[in-house]
Amino acid sequence: MGELRHRSGETLKASFRVLRDQPGIGIGLSVVVLMLLAGFFLPLPYSPTRPDPLNVLQPPSSLHWFGTDSNGFDVFSRTIASAARDLPLALIGTLLSALVGVPLGLLASTKGPWSERIMRGLDVFQSFPLVVLAIAIVTLMGNRLENVIIAILIVNVPRFMRLVRSEALSLRESRFIEAARAVGATPLRVMRKHMFPNVIGVVLSQTSLAAAQAIGIIAALSFLGVGVSPPNPSWGLMIQTGVRSITSGDWWVIVFPGMAVLIAVAAFNLVADGLQMRQENER
Amino acid sequence: MPLLTVEGLTKSFPRTGRGTVHAVNDVSLEIDRGETLALIGESGSGKSTIGRLILRLIEPDAGTIKIDGTDLLTLSNSELRAMRAKMQVVFQEPYESLNPKMRVGDIVAEPLEIHEPSLSRADLRDRVRATLEEVGLNADQAERLPRGLSGGQQQRVGIARALITRPALVVLDEPTSSLDLSVQAQILEILHDLQETHGLSYLYISHDLSTVSYLAHRVAVLYLGQIREQGPLEAVVQNPQDPYTQALLAAFLDSDVSVSPSRLRMLSGEIPDPTQLPEGCFLYGRCPLRMDKCRSDPSVLRVLGSKHYGRCIRAPLNDDDWNIVADSNRTVGDRPG
């Protein structure tokens, strides 16, 4: 028990050291957490789902901080409220992709006829532009929120599989894996105790990279009218509304949700960069 | 009955596009309890492959491997895994052979977790500590990561991992070749002491004759995946009966090996391509003593003395033979006798 406590203390210390050496990880994570907290808990001045038809296309003012759009929605309230929808969607989609892709990638790294078959199947699949494929599939399957997650899976699972497979293939040749087999570890134990801890680092950085992309995919999908449907708030949806107004010079409708997407993507990329740097320093 | 009996071990690897590499060719050997057999040979002679074949880390094409009378090649995967408690390995690269994400204590504990799963946490920790101390490590180094240790300490961890299940046979695959000289000596001493205390049998794979003469009881000389000569350390080193052994010893003249200088002749040419094995005696193309018979007669190990075997059909080679051949072969650039 004492040893356990001692160890968790050490882990904590190690995490602090990582955060000090790679401040990007901490900054990026805090930004994401702040956006999530704001999205869920910040009291909003106006309802993000009920428009005010009398106040259409108001420029930013003390009443409407980010102005209003052509339907009379308050841009500030909608930009904040979107974080509570777009970010969780992106995170869930990415985590599910990792959860499916990592074991499949490990499996595809084993010797055997059908690991080769999985990879060739993946080649065929990936020869399509995946984002386009995802949009096409979601459009065909219908306009539901779960389908947005499926789109993220379609784009990201193959990437996780390839990444984990190539890492695992080079690990499999390494001496310590041979040593583990030599002491009598079962294939499952080799995977769990020796392969997994050595691929988790790259998986984590790929996860935050994928999350950044998922934000983009969600925005693209709702921009095209797939996924989040109005009047529910989503950055992509807001940008789409803003496109119609920008020709008349009403810039605020598109700029604020656009900035939100930018900040979210940048935050995830910061985390990914930091994690990757840490990986490289360890080698 | 010897602890390890290997018979007719053969392994070849396909080389993409260009035939098959005949890495190990019909190797037979035995190791008694508490005995060290050294496998020596140049790099590429198949030494490490033999070590891995004996541990069934790679599958042989043909042959039998018996430990304590159990034929390893007939075992199922789970039976083989259970057997691994009795046969262990220490690799050449100390750092690469340790999982960089695992603490030293966990690395050393792993074999016990696998083979004695009923052990309590406290017993496990005690065994790990005792084993670490036995190889000259500090018990509180168990908390470190391999990265934080020196090369010599890392190799001690490798040895501790190999020893904790009290194996009967340990394959030592050039365990000291990547270490500094002073550290080498310490590691060899530990290996020697551990053998004395636990009656371990070693298959000691090396190309360094000075370490071989410290650790080995018997020596097998490998050339092109084939044993050229095998026998007690003194017999092979003082009285080598194969031109290849003699040439190999010549390369170690400056070490502490003492052989009559008239026996040390260099071979001509390079090791042949292992995709095309020579006919008859493998050494024919390079041997200063060759005769037509060497090509036509089958190349087999013959008894040369007490437990001393060799392939050269001209054995016993005595100094006079050598001088005659040396005189007739002497050309410009030959080393003066």
Side-chain angles (χ1 to χ4, degrees):
Chain A
M1 219 35 219
E3 198 165 277
L4 213 73
R5 209 173 304 131
H6 172 64
R7 283 217 174 161
S8 64
E10 287 245 312
T11 322
L12 213 63
K13 243 188 270 169
S15 324
F16 277 130
R17 204 163 338 121
V18 169
L19 286 182
R20 192 193 60 213
D21 294 343
Q22 299 297 337
I25 300 178
I27 296 170
L29 281 179
S30 331
V31 169
V32 172
V33 169
L34 278 178
M35 287 180 102
L36 273 171
L37 287 177
F40 280 109
F41 301 116
L42 198 71
L44 298 173
Y46 299 92
S47 161
T49 48
R50 221 171 316 115
D52 175 5
L54 298 176
N55 283 306
V56 169
L57 284 177
Q58 298 287 312
S61 65
S62 57
L63 275 179
H64 297 280
W65 299 335
F66 290 179
T68 59
D69 71 5
S70 52
N71 298 320
F73 284 118
D74 179 56
V75 176
F76 176 77
S77 304
R78 271 175 83 75
T79 303
I80 298 295
S82 295
R85 187 171 301 264
D86 287 2
L87 287 180
L89 262 184
L91 286 172
I92 292 168
T94 310
L95 290 180
L96 277 180
S97 305
L99 234 52
V100 175
V102 172
L104 278 180
L106 281 177
L107 206 69
S109 75
T110 53
K111 283 194 189 110
W114 64 279
S115 83
E116 198 54 28
R117 261 172 244 157
I118 293 179
M119 291 321 285
R120 293 295 77 80
L122 217 55
D123 284 343
V124 174
F125 191 63
Q126 280 194 300
S127 60
F128 295 104
L130 284 184
V131 178
V132 177
L133 187 70
I135 290 170
I137 290 176
V138 173
T139 315
L140 286 176
M141 287 196 306
N143 201 353
R144 290 180 24 226
L145 223 50
E146 304 91 81
N147 293 340
V148 177
I149 290 178
I150 290 176
I152 296 170
L153 283 167
I154 289 170
V155 176
N156 283 313
V157 167
R159 292 200 181 137
F160 276 107
M161 281 178 67
R162 277 187 192 282
L163 178 81
V164 169
R165 178 176 179 264
S166 74
E167 287 286 319
L169 279 181
S170 72
L171 272 177
R172 214 170 274 284
E173 297 301 311
S174 65
R175 209 45 93 227
F176 70 85
I177 298 292
E178 193 177 19
R181 290 206 296 128
V183 300
T186 58
L188 197 70
R189 188 187 174 98
V190 169
M191 231 178 234
R192 209 162 40 92
K193 287 250 178 179
H194 299 278
M195 310 274 275
F196 184 73
N198 283 286
V199 296
I200 189 68
V202 285
V203 168
L204 279 179
S205 85
Q206 173 66 24
T207 303
S208 51
L209 213 59
Q213 219 196 355
I215 300 276
I217 294 171
I218 294 167
L221 285 174
S222 45
F223 180 86
L224 292 169
V226 189
V228 184
S229 45
N232 290 322
S234 166
W235 293 322
L237 215 55
M238 295 177 71
I239 292 171
Q240 187 207 33
T241 316
V243 167
R244 278 180 261 137
S245 315
I246 201 152
T247 41
S248 51
D250 306 322
W251 53 270
W252 57 88
V253 186
I254 198 167
V255 162
F256 291 108
M259 294 256 291
V261 172
L262 193 77
I263 292 170
V265 169
F268 279 120
N269 276 329
L270 262 180
V271 177
D273 269 4
L275 289 172
Q276 203 165 354
M277 292 294 280
R278 186 182 147 246
Q279 277 297 114
E280 275 162 29
N281 290 347
E282 265 190 11
R283 282 182 186 173
Chain B
M1 189 174 64
L3 174 76
L4 172 75
T5 314
V6 174
E7 265 164 32
L9 200 63
T10 301
K11 177 72 181 176
S12 57
F13 298 99
R15 186 152 74 185
T16 35
R18 286 185 296 148
T20 22
V21 177
H22 300 277
V24 177
N25 302 298
D26 195 15
V27 164
S28 301
L29 49 85
E30 286 178 0
I31 303 180
D32 279 330
R33 266 159 233 284
E35 186 190 43
T36 302
L37 173 69
L39 264 186
I40 61 174
E42 294 163 87
S43 56
S45 58
K47 310 184 293 280
S48 296
T49 308
I50 292 177
R52 286 182 168 77
L53 286 170
I54 288 174
L55 295 169
R56 248 187 98 179
L57 289 172
I58 45 181
E59 296 296 317
D61 296 338
T64 56
I65 304 159
K66 282 187 183 152
I67 290 183
D68 249 349
T70 312
D71 188 347
L72 287 190
L73 295 173
T74 61
L75 296 182
S76 70
N77 280 340
S78 57
E79 287 168 332
L80 178 66
R81 271 197 295 274
M83 194 71 185
R84 293 197 180 283
K86 287 172 104 180
M87 48 188 214
Q88 272 305 312
V89 58
V90 178
F91 289 110
Q92 178 179 2
E93 311 88 346
Y95 181 64
E96 283 78 13
S97 65
L98 306 176
N99 183 342
K101 302 279 181 189
M102 269 169 92
R103 283 163 206 279
V104 165
D106 296 332
I107 292 173
V108 177
E110 182 165 31
L112 273 192
E113 287 172 4
I114 293 170
H115 295 289
E116 293 174 46
S118 56
L119 226 56
S120 74
R121 296 290 317 167
D123 287 348
L124 189 70
R125 204 181 51 204
D126 291 346
R127 288 273 295 271
V128 169
R129 272 162 197 262
T131 310
L132 285 176
E133 273 158 16
E134 203 173 10
V135 298
L137 284 170
N138 219 312
D140 44 71
Q141 278 167 322
E143 292 296 311
R144 300 262 202 95
L145 288 172
R147 192 153 23 108
L149 301 178
S150 70
Q153 289 169 332
Q154 287 165 356
Q155 196 57 300
R156 286 167 203 252
V157 176
I159 294 170
R161 168 176 61 191
L163 280 179
I164 196 159
T165 54
R166 298 267 166 269
L169 172 74
V170 183
V171 173
L172 304 167
D173 189 356
E174 305 203 35
T176 62
S177 63
S178 63
L179 302 173
D180 291 341
L181 268 179
S182 59
V183 183
Q184 273 193 17
Q186 295 166 9
I187 298 289
L188 287 172
E189 205 180 315
I190 289 173
L191 290 171
H192 182 261
D193 293 349
L194 288 169
Q195 180 168 48
E196 302 268 285
T197 352
H198 301 297
L200 298 170
S201 300
Y202 287 152
L203 177 68
Y204 182 61
I205 296 166
S206 178
H207 60 257
D208 183 355
L209 263 154
S210 52
T211 65
V212 166
S213 51
Y214 177 75
L215 215 54
H217 303 111
R218 285 189 304 121
V219 178
V221 180
L222 218 61
Y223 179 73
L224 278 181
Q226 190 183 56
I227 292 179
R228 295 287 326 170
E229 184 172 1
Q230 189 181 150
L233 177 74
E234 295 74 27
V236 174
V237 171
Q238 309 292 344
N239 184 26
Q241 291 299 325
D242 187 276
Y244 181 72
T245 314
Q246 298 182 335
L248 199 65
L249 292 174
F252 279 93
L253 244 195
D254 48 357
S255 70
D256 54 358
V257 177
S258 55
V259 188
S260 159
S262 64
R263 292 206 165 171
L264 303 173
R265 292 282 170 261
M266 293 312 226
L267 301 172
S268 58
E270 299 282 317
I271 303 180
D273 182 1
T275 55
Q276 283 159 348
L277 296 177
E279 266 179 57
C281 176
F282 283 6
L283 205 59
Y284 180 81
R286 307 177 65 190
C287 183
L289 292 174
R290 68 182 171 212
M291 306 182 302
D292 286 345
K293 251 175 76 175
C294 299
R295 272 206 114 146
S296 50
D297 283 16
S299 174
V300 289
L301 283 168
R302 294 184 301 130
V303 181
L304 302 173
S306 162
K307 289 189 160 188
H308 191 177
Y309 309 87
R311 269 183 206 274
C312 186
I313 57 172
R314 297 199 57 176
L317 307 170
N318 51 51
D319 287 3
D320 294 342
D321 275 351
W322 272 107
N323 290 331
I324 294 162
V325 175
D327 286 339
S328 62
N329 276 10
R330 185 157 297 177
T331 49
V332 182
D334 232 7
R335 295 156 58 110

